[in-house]
């Protein structure tokens, strides 16, 4: 069974940075995409960024473009999310996810992803 464990969340002031990591363990599966989602209290889960493993193309929500960067470490089977210039509205629980299938136009859809981590809290506050 594949498991994902997120780390790196915490409390940071507006304008600060955090780096989230998601480590996969268990059976080695060929994921077509790995992504980060977030969910703020009272809001729906939304896609933040996605890494397509077949061609290395990355996708970002408009709200984080230019501030967040998603990368993958194949050797360590880990995906990272570098978050810079954080804003109060970035406060949420962040989840990593992995997809066994791929359709690039569907990358923001949670239903595309087959495996999920347990989430890590990111709080941006002064």
């Amino acid at each position: 069974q594949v498991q994902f464990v997120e780390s790196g969340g915490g409390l940071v002031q507006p304008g600060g940075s955090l780096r989230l990591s998601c480590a996969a363990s268990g059976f080695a599966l060929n994921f077509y995409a790995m992504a980060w989602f977030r969910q703020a209290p009272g809001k729906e889960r939304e896609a933040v960024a996605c890494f397509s493993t077949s061609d290395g193309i990355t996708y970002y929500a408009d709200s984080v473009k230019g501030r967040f960067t998603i990368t993958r470490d194949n050797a360590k089977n880990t995906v990272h999310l570098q978050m810079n210039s954080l804003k109060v509205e970035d406060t949420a629980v962040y989840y990593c996810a992995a997809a066994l299938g791929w359709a690039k136009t569907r990358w923001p859809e949670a239903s595309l992803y087959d495996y999920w981590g347990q989430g890590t809290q990111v709080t941006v506050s002064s």
Side-chain angles (χ1 to χ4, degrees), residues 77-91:
N77 216 14
T78 302
V79 63
H80 304 283
L81 184 69
Q82 178 66 42
M83 305 186 295
N84 299 328
S85 302
L86 281 162
K87 305 176 181 179
V88 172
E89 51 264 42
D90 293 320
T91 296

Side-chain angles (χ1 to χ4, degrees), residues 1 3 6-7 10 17 23 46 52-53 57 70 80 84 91-92 95 97 105 107 109-110 116 118 120:
Q1 184 175 355
Q3 290 185 325
E6 298 102 333
S7 61
S17 298
E46 63 172 353
S52 169
T53 59
I57 295 177
I70 185 171
H80 304 283
N84 299 328
T91 296
Y95 300 88
T105 57
W107 80 265
E109 299 177 18
W116 293 83
Q118 83 289 349
T120 184

Side-chain angles (χ1 to χ4, degrees), residues 4 6 22 31 33-37 45 49-50 79 95-99 110 113-117:
F4 291 90
E6 298 102 333
C22 175
F31 296 113
M34 297 188 74
W36 287 93
F37 282 71
R45 189 171 298 191
C50 177
V79 63
Y95 300 88
C96 69
Y113 300 87
D114 302 281
Y115 293 92
W116 293 83

Side-chain angles (χ1 to χ4, degrees), residues 1 19 43 55 88 90 94 97:
Q1 184 175 355
R19 186 174 187 247
K43 294 187 177 181
D55 53 18
V88 172
D90 293 320
Y94 283 70

